[in-house]
Protein backbone atom coordinates (compact mmCIF):
# COMPACT_ATOMS: atom_id res chain seq x y z
CA UNK A 1 0.00 0.00 0.00
CA UNK A 2 2.54 2.60 1.14
CA UNK A 3 5.50 3.10 3.43
CA UNK A 4 6.30 5.45 6.30
CA UNK A 5 8.26 7.77 4.03
CA UNK A 6 5.22 8.12 1.74
CA UNK A 7 2.80 9.40 4.39
CA UNK A 8 1.59 12.93 3.71
CA UNK A 9 -1.72 13.01 5.60
CA UNK A 10 -2.85 11.98 9.07
CA UNK A 11 -6.50 11.52 9.98
CA UNK A 12 -6.59 11.66 13.77
CA UNK A 13 -9.47 10.53 15.96
CA UNK A 14 -8.41 12.20 19.18
CA UNK A 15 -11.38 11.00 21.24
CA UNK A 16 -14.33 8.62 21.25
CA UNK A 17 -16.28 11.04 23.45
CA UNK A 18 -19.04 13.35 22.21
CA UNK A 19 -21.76 15.43 23.81
CA UNK A 20 -24.14 14.78 20.90
CA UNK A 21 -26.28 11.74 20.16
CA UNK A 22 -26.65 11.58 16.39
CA UNK A 23 -28.94 8.67 15.49
CA UNK A 24 -26.84 7.40 12.57
CA UNK A 25 -23.54 7.45 14.49
CA UNK A 26 -21.94 4.22 15.70
CA UNK A 27 -21.14 5.65 19.12
CA UNK A 28 -24.74 5.11 20.23
CA UNK A 29 -27.74 2.93 19.43
CA UNK A 30 -29.82 5.09 17.07
CA UNK A 31 -29.25 8.10 19.33
CA UNK A 32 -29.96 6.11 22.50
CA UNK A 33 -27.58 4.38 24.89
CA UNK A 34 -23.86 4.45 24.17
CA UNK A 35 -22.21 1.74 22.11
CA UNK A 36 -21.45 -0.98 24.67
CA UNK A 37 -18.10 -1.80 23.05
CA UNK A 38 -16.78 1.75 23.33
CA UNK A 39 -14.58 2.98 26.19
CA UNK A 40 -14.51 6.75 25.45
CA UNK A 41 -10.77 6.40 24.81
CA UNK A 42 -8.87 9.64 24.27
CA UNK A 43 -5.37 10.65 23.23
CA UNK A 44 -3.52 13.23 25.32
CA UNK A 45 -0.95 15.74 24.13
CA UNK A 46 1.74 13.45 25.54
CA UNK A 47 0.33 10.52 23.58
CA UNK A 48 0.40 12.53 20.35
CA UNK A 49 3.95 13.70 21.03
CA UNK A 50 4.97 10.07 21.50
CA UNK A 51 3.23 8.89 18.33
CA UNK A 52 4.08 11.78 16.00
CA UNK A 53 7.71 12.83 16.23
CA UNK A 54 8.68 16.32 14.95
CA UNK A 55 10.62 14.90 12.00
CA UNK A 56 7.52 12.95 10.89
CA UNK A 57 5.29 16.00 11.21
CA UNK A 58 7.66 17.91 8.94
CA UNK A 59 6.95 15.49 6.07
CA UNK A 60 3.18 15.96 6.35
CA UNK A 61 0.97 18.13 4.18
CA UNK A 62 -2.28 17.65 6.13
CA UNK A 63 -3.50 16.67 9.59
CA UNK A 64 -7.21 16.62 10.25
CA UNK A 65 -9.27 15.55 13.24
CA UNK A 66 -12.53 13.76 12.65
CA UNK A 67 -12.93 10.04 13.27
CA UNK A 68 -15.80 7.63 13.79
CA UNK A 69 -17.03 7.96 17.35
CA UNK A 70 -16.07 11.28 18.96
CA UNK A 71 -15.93 15.01 18.35
CA UNK A 72 -12.53 16.74 18.73
CA UNK A 73 -14.01 19.62 20.73
CA UNK A 74 -14.80 17.29 23.62
CA UNK A 75 -11.19 16.14 24.04
CA UNK A 76 -9.09 17.79 26.73
CA UNK A 77 -5.97 18.49 24.62
CA UNK A 78 -7.32 19.23 21.13
CA UNK A 79 -6.06 22.81 21.09
CA UNK A 80 -2.64 21.80 22.39
CA UNK A 81 -2.31 19.01 19.83
CA UNK A 82 -3.09 21.43 17.00
CA UNK A 83 -0.51 23.80 18.49
CA UNK A 84 2.08 20.99 18.56
CA UNK A 85 1.55 20.13 14.88
CA UNK A 86 1.58 23.79 13.85
CA UNK A 87 4.82 24.45 15.77
CA UNK A 88 6.55 21.62 13.93
CA UNK A 89 5.15 22.41 10.49
CA UNK A 90 3.99 26.00 9.90
CA UNK A 91 2.95 25.29 6.30
CA UNK A 92 0.84 22.13 6.68
CA UNK A 93 -2.95 22.18 6.42
CA UNK A 94 -4.81 21.66 9.71
CA UNK A 95 -8.53 21.04 10.01
CA UNK A 96 -11.24 19.33 11.99
CA UNK A 97 -14.88 18.31 11.67
CA UNK A 98 -17.16 19.22 14.55
CA UNK A 99 -20.76 19.80 15.65
CA UNK A 100 -19.55 23.07 17.30
CA UNK A 101 -21.71 22.58 20.39
CA UNK A 102 -19.02 22.73 23.07
CA UNK A 103 -16.12 24.84 24.42
CA UNK A 104 -16.13 28.60 25.05
CA UNK A 105 -16.01 31.42 22.53
CA UNK A 106 -12.49 32.19 23.80
CA UNK A 107 -11.37 28.63 23.04
CA UNK A 108 -12.67 28.95 19.50
CA UNK A 109 -10.89 32.25 18.98
CA UNK A 110 -7.65 30.63 20.17
CA UNK A 111 -8.21 27.72 17.79
CA UNK A 112 -8.49 30.19 14.91
CA UNK A 113 -5.18 31.70 15.94
CA UNK A 114 -3.42 28.32 16.18
CA UNK A 115 -4.70 26.93 12.88
CA UNK A 116 -4.19 30.23 11.07
CA UNK A 117 -4.94 30.59 7.37
CA UNK A 118 -3.42 27.20 6.47
CA UNK A 119 -6.45 25.28 7.61
CA UNK A 120 -10.15 25.27 8.30
CA UNK A 121 -12.89 24.01 10.56
CA UNK A 122 -15.68 22.02 8.94
CA UNK A 123 -18.84 22.71 10.90
CA UNK A 124 -21.35 19.84 10.72
CA UNK A 125 -24.59 21.75 11.19
CA UNK A 126 -27.68 20.15 9.69
CA UNK A 127 -30.38 22.77 9.83
CA UNK A 128 -31.21 25.97 11.68
CA UNK A 129 -32.37 26.76 15.21
CA UNK A 130 -35.55 24.71 14.86
CA UNK A 131 -34.11 21.70 12.98
CA UNK A 132 -30.39 21.18 13.64
CA UNK A 133 -31.08 19.28 16.87
CA UNK A 134 -33.34 16.75 15.11
CA UNK A 135 -30.26 14.95 13.82
CA UNK A 136 -27.57 16.55 16.01
CA UNK A 137 -29.39 15.51 19.16
CA UNK A 138 -28.25 17.29 22.36
CA UNK A 139 -26.53 20.07 20.38
CA UNK A 140 -27.65 23.57 21.40
CA UNK A 141 -28.11 25.98 18.50
CA UNK A 142 -27.21 29.09 20.50
CA UNK A 143 -23.84 27.56 21.41
CA UNK A 144 -23.22 26.52 17.80
CA UNK A 145 -23.91 30.03 16.51
CA UNK A 146 -21.76 31.64 19.20
CA UNK A 147 -18.82 29.34 18.51
CA UNK A 148 -18.96 29.60 14.73
CA UNK A 149 -19.12 33.38 14.91
CA UNK A 150 -16.26 33.51 17.42
CA UNK A 151 -14.04 31.34 15.25
CA UNK A 152 -14.73 33.34 12.10
CA UNK A 153 -14.39 36.70 13.88
CA UNK A 154 -10.93 35.64 15.07
CA UNK A 155 -9.83 35.04 11.49
CA UNK A 156 -10.68 31.35 11.20
CA UNK A 157 -11.60 29.83 7.86
CA UNK A 158 -14.92 27.99 8.07
CA UNK A 159 -16.80 25.46 5.96
CA UNK A 160 -20.40 24.53 6.74
CA UNK A 161 -21.41 20.95 5.87
CA UNK A 162 -25.21 20.64 5.81
CA UNK A 163 -26.59 17.09 5.62
CA UNK A 164 -29.92 17.28 3.83
CA UNK A 165 -32.85 15.31 5.25
CA UNK A 166 -36.55 15.63 4.53
CA UNK A 167 -37.00 17.68 7.71
CA UNK A 168 -34.45 20.36 6.79
CA UNK A 169 -34.53 20.43 2.98
CA UNK A 170 -36.76 23.51 2.98
CA UNK A 171 -34.05 25.50 4.80
CA UNK A 172 -31.08 24.88 2.50
CA UNK A 173 -31.21 28.29 0.83
CA UNK A 174 -31.80 30.10 4.11
CA UNK A 175 -28.85 28.31 5.73
CA UNK A 176 -26.62 29.09 2.77
CA UNK A 177 -27.53 32.78 3.03
CA UNK A 178 -26.83 32.71 6.76
CA UNK A 179 -23.45 31.11 6.12
CA UNK A 180 -22.54 33.94 3.75
CA UNK A 181 -23.70 36.51 6.32
CA UNK A 182 -21.48 34.97 9.00
CA UNK A 183 -18.44 34.82 6.73
CA UNK A 184 -18.34 31.07 6.06
CA UNK A 185 -16.08 30.43 3.07
CA UNK A 186 -17.91 27.40 1.69
CA UNK A 187 -21.40 25.99 2.21
CA UNK A 188 -21.58 22.31 1.32
CA UNK A 189 -24.97 20.78 0.53
CA UNK A 190 -24.24 17.26 1.65
CA UNK A 191 -26.18 14.47 -0.08
CA UNK A 192 -25.84 11.87 2.61
CA UNK A 193 -24.94 8.24 2.07
CA UNK A 194 -26.41 7.40 5.49
CA UNK A 195 -29.48 5.86 3.90
CA UNK A 196 -27.40 2.89 2.77
CA UNK A 197 -27.25 0.23 5.47
CA UNK A 198 -23.74 -1.19 5.83
CA UNK A 199 -25.11 -4.02 7.96
CA UNK A 200 -27.78 -5.13 5.47
CA UNK A 201 -25.92 -3.89 2.36
CA UNK A 202 -28.94 -2.15 0.91
CA UNK A 203 -30.60 1.24 0.80
CA UNK A 204 -33.36 2.33 3.16
CA UNK A 205 -36.00 5.05 3.11
CA UNK A 206 -35.92 6.08 6.76
CA UNK A 207 -34.16 5.69 10.11
CA UNK A 208 -35.90 5.84 13.47
CA UNK A 209 -34.13 8.00 16.06
CA UNK A 210 -34.46 7.74 19.81
CA UNK A 211 -33.15 9.59 22.86
CA UNK A 212 -30.96 8.42 25.72
CA UNK A 213 -34.01 6.96 27.49
CA UNK A 214 -34.92 4.86 24.46
CA UNK A 215 -37.95 6.99 23.58
CA UNK A 216 -38.50 7.49 19.85
CA UNK A 217 -37.83 11.06 18.74
CA UNK A 218 -37.88 11.70 14.98
CA UNK A 219 -38.08 9.47 11.93
CA UNK A 220 -35.23 10.58 9.69
CA UNK A 221 -36.27 10.43 6.04
CA UNK A 222 -34.53 10.86 2.71
CA UNK A 223 -34.90 14.30 1.12
CA UNK A 224 -36.49 14.93 -2.25
CA UNK A 225 -34.75 13.49 -5.28
CA UNK A 226 -32.59 16.51 -6.14
CA UNK A 227 -30.87 16.22 -2.76
CA UNK A 228 -30.43 12.44 -2.74
CA UNK A 229 -27.11 10.66 -3.05
CA UNK A 230 -26.86 9.22 -6.57
CA UNK A 231 -25.23 6.07 -5.23
CA UNK A 232 -28.66 4.99 -4.01
CA UNK A 233 -29.83 4.75 -7.61
CA UNK A 234 -26.56 3.08 -8.59
CA UNK A 235 -27.27 0.33 -6.05
CA UNK A 236 -30.30 -0.81 -8.05
CA UNK A 237 -28.19 -1.04 -11.22
CA UNK A 238 -25.51 -3.06 -9.46
CA UNK A 239 -28.01 -5.50 -7.95
CA UNK A 240 -29.54 -5.99 -11.41
CA UNK A 241 -26.09 -6.59 -12.93
CA UNK A 242 -24.44 -8.67 -10.21
CA UNK A 243 -27.39 -10.18 -8.32
CA UNK A 244 -26.71 -8.51 -4.96
CA UNK A 245 -24.37 -5.97 -3.40
CA UNK A 246 -22.35 -8.82 -1.86
CA UNK A 247 -21.84 -10.27 -5.34
CA UNK A 248 -20.74 -6.82 -6.49
CA UNK A 249 -18.23 -6.62 -3.59
CA UNK A 250 -16.89 -10.03 -4.57
CA UNK A 251 -16.16 -8.95 -8.13
CA UNK A 252 -15.42 -5.21 -8.01
CA UNK A 253 -12.02 -3.62 -8.38
CA UNK A 254 -10.80 -1.61 -5.41
CA UNK A 255 -9.10 1.77 -5.85
CA UNK A 256 -8.01 2.80 -2.37
CA UNK A 257 -8.66 6.48 -1.66
CA UNK A 258 -6.19 6.81 1.20
CA UNK A 259 -3.35 5.04 -0.62
CA UNK A 260 -3.55 7.70 -3.32
CA UNK A 261 -3.33 10.41 -0.68
CA UNK A 262 -0.60 8.81 1.45
CA UNK A 263 -3.11 8.98 4.32
CA UNK A 264 -3.20 7.03 7.61
CA UNK A 265 -5.83 6.85 10.34
CA UNK A 266 -5.01 6.85 14.05
CA UNK A 267 -7.81 5.88 16.44
CA UNK A 268 -8.50 7.33 19.88
CA UNK A 269 -6.98 4.13 21.27
CA UNK A 270 -3.75 4.96 19.42
CA UNK A 271 -4.20 2.21 16.83
CA UNK A 272 -2.96 2.48 13.25
CA UNK A 273 -5.36 1.57 10.44
CA UNK A 274 -5.39 2.75 6.85
CA UNK A 275 -8.65 4.69 7.13
CA UNK A 276 -11.65 5.54 9.26
CA UNK A 277 -13.77 3.07 7.30
CA UNK A 278 -11.66 0.05 8.22
CA UNK A 279 -11.45 1.26 11.82
CA UNK A 280 -15.18 1.89 11.75
CA UNK A 281 -15.84 -1.84 11.46
CA UNK A 282 -14.15 -2.59 14.79
CA UNK A 283 -16.91 -1.82 17.27
CA UNK A 284 -20.36 -2.16 15.71
CA UNK A 285 -22.89 -1.87 18.52
CA UNK A 286 -25.35 -4.34 17.01
CA UNK A 287 -22.89 -7.23 17.50
CA UNK A 288 -22.77 -8.96 20.86
CA UNK A 289 -19.25 -10.01 19.92
CA UNK A 290 -17.71 -7.14 17.95
CA UNK A 291 -14.88 -9.43 16.81
CA UNK A 292 -17.22 -11.14 14.36
CA UNK A 293 -16.41 -8.31 11.94
CA UNK A 294 -13.95 -9.24 9.17
CA UNK A 295 -11.47 -6.48 10.01
CA UNK A 296 -10.44 -8.41 13.14
CA UNK A 297 -8.95 -11.18 10.96
CA UNK A 298 -6.50 -8.59 9.62
CA UNK A 299 -5.83 -7.03 13.01
CA UNK A 300 -5.14 -10.45 14.54
CA UNK A 301 -2.65 -11.34 11.81
CA UNK A 302 -0.81 -8.07 12.57
CA UNK A 303 -0.43 -9.04 16.23
CA UNK A 304 -3.78 -7.89 17.54
CA UNK A 305 -4.37 -4.43 18.96
CA UNK A 306 -0.93 -4.53 20.58
CA UNK A 307 0.68 -5.11 17.18
CA UNK A 308 -0.86 -1.97 15.67
CA UNK A 309 -0.69 0.19 18.79
CA UNK A 310 1.30 3.38 18.34
CA UNK A 311 1.48 3.77 22.11
CA UNK A 312 3.33 0.44 22.32
CA UNK A 313 5.26 0.58 19.04
CA UNK A 314 7.02 3.09 16.84
CA UNK A 315 4.90 4.56 14.03
CA UNK A 316 7.41 3.63 11.34
CA UNK A 317 7.59 0.04 12.60
CA UNK A 318 3.80 -0.39 12.55
CA UNK A 319 3.42 1.10 9.06
CA UNK A 320 6.35 -0.72 7.45
CA UNK A 321 6.61 -3.97 9.41
CA UNK A 322 3.30 -4.95 11.05
CA UNK A 323 2.01 -6.36 7.78
CA UNK A 324 -1.47 -4.88 8.24
CA UNK A 325 -1.45 -2.49 5.28
CA UNK A 326 0.00 -5.00 2.85
CA UNK A 327 -2.37 -7.73 4.08
CA UNK A 328 -5.35 -5.48 3.36
CA UNK A 329 -3.96 -4.58 -0.06
CA UNK A 330 -3.40 -8.25 -0.92
CA UNK A 331 -6.99 -9.06 0.00
CA UNK A 332 -8.37 -7.03 -2.90
CA UNK A 333 -7.25 -9.67 -5.41
CA UNK A 334 -9.01 -12.49 -3.52
CA UNK A 335 -11.98 -13.95 -5.44
CA UNK A 336 -14.63 -13.20 -2.77
CA UNK A 337 -15.31 -11.86 0.69
CA UNK A 338 -15.61 -15.42 2.00
CA UNK A 339 -12.12 -16.10 0.67
CA UNK A 340 -10.59 -13.07 2.34
CA UNK A 341 -11.36 -9.95 0.27
CA UNK A 342 -11.97 -7.15 2.79
CA UNK A 343 -15.60 -6.14 2.37
CA UNK A 344 -15.34 -2.62 3.76
CA UNK A 345 -12.77 -1.80 1.08
CA UNK A 346 -15.11 -3.07 -1.64
CA UNK A 347 -17.96 -1.02 -0.18
CA UNK A 348 -16.07 2.26 0.25
CA UNK A 349 -13.54 2.11 -2.58
CA UNK A 350 -15.07 -0.22 -5.15
CA UNK A 351 -14.92 1.48 -8.54
CA UNK A 352 -18.67 1.30 -9.33
CA UNK A 353 -20.25 2.47 -6.07
CA UNK A 354 -19.03 5.52 -4.15
CA UNK A 355 -21.59 6.95 -1.74
CA UNK A 356 -18.85 8.95 -0.01
CA UNK A 357 -17.71 10.86 -3.10
CA UNK A 358 -21.25 11.46 -4.30
CA UNK A 359 -22.16 13.23 -1.03
CA UNK A 360 -20.28 16.27 -2.31
CA UNK A 361 -21.45 16.38 -5.93
CA UNK A 362 -23.61 19.31 -6.93
Amino acid sequence: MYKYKDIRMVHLEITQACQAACPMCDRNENGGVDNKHMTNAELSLEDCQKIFKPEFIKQLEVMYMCGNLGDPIVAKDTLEVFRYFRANNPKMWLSMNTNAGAKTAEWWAELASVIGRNGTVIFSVDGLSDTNHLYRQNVNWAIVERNMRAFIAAGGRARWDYIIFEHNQHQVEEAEALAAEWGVEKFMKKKTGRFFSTSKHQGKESHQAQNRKGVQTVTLKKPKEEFQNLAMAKEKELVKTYGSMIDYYNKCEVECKVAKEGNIFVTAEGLLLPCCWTAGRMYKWWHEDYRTEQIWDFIDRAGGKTGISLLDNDLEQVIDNSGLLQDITNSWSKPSLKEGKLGVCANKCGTEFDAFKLQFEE
Side-chain angles (χ1 to χ4, degrees):
M1 185 178 277
Y2 40 56
K3 294 292 187 181
Y4 175 85
K5 64 179 176 58
D6 302 317
I7 304 305
R8 296 294 177 267
M9 299 177 67
V10 168
H11 179 180
L12 177 61
E13 178 184 55
I14 194 169
T15 185
Q16 292 178 343
C18 185
Q19 92 286 12
C22 302
M24 291 171 155
C25 176
D26 281 347
R27 80 174 314 278
N28 58 66
E29 299 184 15
N30 301 316
V33 298
D34 281 351
N35 182 334
K36 56 184 171 290
H37 306 308
M38 185 185 64
T39 62
N40 281 332
E42 185 166 305
L43 295 171
S44 67
L45 173 61
E46 291 73 22
D47 292 332
C48 291
Q49 289 170 331
K50 175 180 172 60
I51 293 169
F52 307 109
K53 300 295 192 292
E55 59 270 21
F56 173 73
I57 295 175
K58 288 179 172 60
Q59 80 180 45
L60 296 177
E61 296 172 0
V62 176
M63 189 279 281
Y64 61 105
M65 292 188 192
C66 184
N68 293 312
L69 301 172
D71 192 303
I73 58 174
V74 177
K76 174 177 172 288
D77 289 343
T78 293
L79 187 60
E80 288 68 28
V81 171
F82 272 124
R83 200 189 311 276
Y84 172 65
F85 273 83
R86 176 58 76 218
N88 285 289
N89 189 332
K91 295 182 179 180
M92 72 182 300
W93 186 263
L94 298 175
S95 74
M96 75 172 184
N97 295 61
T98 177
N99 64 59
K103 291 292 195 288
T104 64
E106 291 75 20
W107 186 92
W108 283 94
E110 184 65 16
L111 179 68
S113 175
V114 171
I115 290 178
R117 301 301 290 173
N118 291 334
T120 191
V121 168
I122 299 168
F123 291 97
S124 299
V125 180
D126 310 315
L128 297 173
S129 61
D130 58 335
T131 52
N132 182 55
H133 64 281
L134 297 178
Y135 182 69
R136 302 283 166 181
Q137 294 187 140
N138 301 340
V139 175
N140 183 294
W141 173 264
I143 295 174
V144 170
E145 178 175 350
R146 182 199 69 195
N147 292 343
M148 288 182 69
R149 284 174 169 268
F151 178 77
I152 295 167
R157 304 178 70 172
R159 185 177 111 188
W160 181 339
D161 278 11
Y162 186 109
I163 299 174
I164 306 173
F165 297 97
E166 183 187 66
H167 67 257
N168 66 10
Q169 63 187 4
H170 64 291
Q171 295 176 317
V172 170
E173 291 185 4
E174 185 181 353
E176 188 169 16
L178 186 64
E181 178 186 323
W182 289 357
V184 172
E185 289 192 350
K186 187 175 181 63
F187 182 84
M188 182 67 67
K189 303 168 189 175
K190 200 169 177 182
K191 300 176 179 179
T192 184
R194 286 166 171 77
F195 289 99
F196 183 85
S197 170
T198 56
S199 61
K200 297 180 180 179
H201 305 289
Q202 62 185 30
K204 57 184 178 180
E205 294 300 312
S206 63
H207 187 97
Q208 182 59 54
Q210 59 184 347
N211 63 21
R212 296 293 194 192
K213 296 180 180 179
V215 178
Q216 292 187 352
T217 52
V218 65
T219 302
L220 301 167
K221 296 180 181 179
K222 292 164 67 173
K224 58 187 177 181
E225 189 172 351
E226 70 174 285
F227 294 135
Q228 289 181 20
N229 190 305
L230 293 176
M232 301 304 104
K234 186 68 173 176
E235 176 204 349
K236 296 180 176 62
E237 297 176 25
L238 293 173
V239 170
K240 185 176 181 180
T241 300
Y242 291 97
S244 71
M245 286 301 290
I246 295 295
D247 290 324
Y248 160 69
Y249 299 155
N250 288 337
K251 296 174 183 176
C252 74
E253 292 184 20
V254 173
E255 291 185 359
C256 178
K257 295 178 176 66
V258 297
K260 289 180 180 179
E261 298 172 336
N263 191 351
I264 57 171
F265 181 69
V266 178
T267 77
E269 295 179 281
L271 306 178
L272 184 283
L273 284 108
C275 63
C276 62
W277 298 306
T278 48
R281 303 308 302 182
M282 291 177 66
Y283 301 122
K284 292 301 186 185
W285 61 261
W286 54 83
H287 294 311
E288 283 304 314
D289 179 4
Y290 58 80
R291 289 178 54 84
T292 59
E293 282 284 338
Q294 190 187 20
I295 189 62
W296 286 99
D297 297 337
F298 294 82
I299 293 172
D300 287 344
R301 287 196 291 269
K305 287 169 67 172
T306 300
I308 60 171
S309 171
L310 302 178
L311 299 175
D312 297 320
N313 306 284
D314 180 74
L315 176 61
E316 184 172 6
Q317 188 277 326
V318 175
I319 293 174
D320 290 354
N321 300 320
S322 71
L324 176 72
L325 301 182
Q326 192 57 51
D327 192 16
I328 290 174
T329 303
N330 293 344
S331 83
W332 303 335
S333 60
K334 300 287 179 66
S336 69
L337 272 60
K338 285 186 176 180
E339 294 170 273
K341 185 177 185 180
L342 186 51
V344 65
C345 297
N347 172 256
K348 298 300 183 182
C349 292
T351 55
E352 297 180 63
F353 182 82
D354 196 340
F356 174 77
K357 178 182 178 183
L358 292 173
Q359 291 181 107
F360 305 103
E361 301 239 334
E362 293 293 338

